[in-house]
Amino acid sequence: MENTLIYDSDLHFEHKQWERELGFWKDELKTFKSRLSELIGRYKDRKVLAKLEHYQNEFILHEGVINDLKETIEEHESNMAEHSKIGEEALDVSLVEKHVGFRKKMEAQRQIYAELKKDFFEFLTKYWA
């Protein structure tokens, strides 16, 4: 990593962005689960019900990932607060590396979630167009 001074405020700003994005995903998942509940009662076809169950499981799994990501952000924020208490304005290299690693996790999760939504909407279009 190059010798760049990184301040808590820079990382805090990115954490807040991620928290808003995760909150949005969580709200979206609520609406998707609600939609699934509506649809489950309409169909008896095992193939369709299996697909609905698949999406239900995916949404539950993704919600767990969101909770884990939020917890990691909270831990990082707490760590930053500890640094601030002792008067450290900039974070050490290992903490910044963890932050960059977490950024990559967020980017990967963003792609996974986008693909899940795309598949779900294609499924809805196929059966409820």
Side-chain angles (χ1 to χ4, degrees):
M1 180 168 258
E2 63 184 66
N3 278 342
T4 303
L5 197 56
I6 299 178
Y7 292 93
D8 292 355
S9 60
D10 299 328
L11 302 182
H12 180 71
F13 176 78
E14 192 166 23
H15 288 160
K16 289 301 170 195
Q17 294 300 114
W18 291 336
E19 286 174 336
R20 283 189 283 280
E21 185 173 11
L22 293 170
F24 179 77
W25 292 352
K26 202 163 194 165
D27 285 345
E28 240 181 0
L29 286 173
K30 286 178 191 172
T31 62
F32 294 161
K33 287 191 216 176
S34 175
R35 184 71 175 134
L36 282 177
S37 294
E38 293 171 18
L39 299 173
I40 286 172
R42 290 187 196 174
Y43 286 88
K44 304 292 181 232
D45 183 289
R46 287 182 184 210
K47 185 177 171 184
V48 174
L49 291 173
K51 200 66 173 161
L52 290 170
E53 184 178 357
H54 162 76
Y55 285 112
Q56 183 177 31
N57 291 336
E58 287 295 316
F59 296 155
I60 290 168
L61 287 172
H62 196 76
E63 193 169 41
V65 170
I66 289 170
N67 291 335
D68 291 345
L69 292 170
K70 283 184 169 190
E71 186 176 308
T72 301
I73 291 169
E74 289 171 12
E75 288 170 3
H76 199 185
E77 282 288 318
S78 176
N79 197 323
M80 286 169 38
E82 289 300 315
H83 275 79
S84 183
K85 281 181 188 175
I86 59 174
E88 292 180 1
E89 293 257 341
L91 294 176
D92 66 30
V93 172
S94 69
L95 291 174
V96 172
E97 286 175 350
K98 286 180 184 177
H99 183 87
V100 170
F102 187 80
R103 183 184 295 145
K104 289 179 182 174
K105 280 186 185 177
M106 280 296 295
E107 290 168 359
Q109 199 57 39
R110 204 174 280 127
Q111 290 175 333
I112 291 166
Y113 184 60
E115 190 64 30
L116 174 60
K117 283 176 35 174
K118 177 180 166 261
D119 289 348
F120 182 58
F121 287 128
E122 286 175 357
F123 169 76
L124 291 176
T125 301
K126 180 178 179 181
Y127 287 94
W128 292 279

